[in-house]
Amino acid sequence: QERSPRQTLEGAGGRRCPRPSVAQRGAAAMVGVGELWDMLRAGSIDFIGQKNAFDFQYYVIWIAGIIGFIYGLIMQRFLYTFYFIFASTLFSTVITLPSWPCWNRNPVEWLEPKEEAKDEKEEVKKSQGGGKKNKKKD
C-alpha cells in the first residue's frame, strides 16, 4: 500500500516528524570523491542550477568589469579593466562550467516511457496503409 507524502511525514499518533537540521541536511548533501567524479563526468545540471550558474557568471563578470573600469580609470590604463574582466571570466568558467553538486540540487525525475500495446501498433499500420488496395489491371 502506497502512502501519500503527508502520511510519510506524520509520525505515530498523527504527529509530524521533525524536519532535519541544517547540519543534517548539509551532511546529507555531501558526496564522496567517487560520486563527485562521476557527477562531473556525467555533466548533468538541473534547470534551476543552469539559471543559478548563468546568474552567477553574469553578475561576477559585470561586477568585475565595473570595478576594473574604476580601477583602470584611476590608474589611467584600460588594460587593467581587461585584466579584471578576463580574470572574472576565467574564475566564473571554472565555477560554473563543471557540473558541481551545487548546480544539481533539484534534479528532474523523468517518467519512464509507456510501452504501446502491439495491437495498437498493428492498427496504426493498417490504418495508414489500408486506404489503397492492390488491384490488378488486365
Side-chain angles (χ1 to χ4, degrees), residues 77-126:
R77 299 256 343 237
F78 180 73
L79 187 60
Y80 293 143
T81 304
F82 173 76
Y83 286 156
F84 271 83
I85 293 174
F86 185 68
S88 67
T89 302
L90 289 178
F91 172 73
S92 62
T93 299
V94 168
I95 299 298
T96 59
L97 189 60
S99 58
W100 298 109
C102 63
W103 305 126
N104 200 17
R105 290 184 181 165
N106 305 302
V108 177
E109 295 184 22
W110 299 99
L111 298 176
E112 294 294 324
K114 293 183 180 180
E115 292 185 24
E116 292 184 25
K118 292 182 180 180
D119 296 335
E120 292 176 15
K121 289 181 182 179
E122 290 175 5
E123 288 177 15
V124 170
K125 288 180 183 177
K126 288 179 182 176

Side-chain angles (χ1 to χ4, degrees), residues 15-31:
R15 296 177 304 173
R16 293 182 66 105
C17 294
R19 290 184 176 229
S21 68
V22 174
Q24 290 171 338
R25 281 183 276 164
M30 292 175 45
V31 294

Side-chain angles (χ1 to χ4, degrees), residues 65-82 84:
I66 292 168
I67 293 171
F69 179 77
I70 293 170
Y71 184 74
L73 185 66
I74 292 170
M75 301 305 259
Q76 295 294 310
R77 299 256 343 237
F78 180 73
L79 187 60
Y80 293 143
T81 304
F82 173 76
F84 271 83

Side-chain angles (χ1 to χ4, degrees), residues 29-38:
M30 292 175 45
V31 294
V33 175
E35 292 175 15
L36 176 64
W37 181 250
D38 290 339

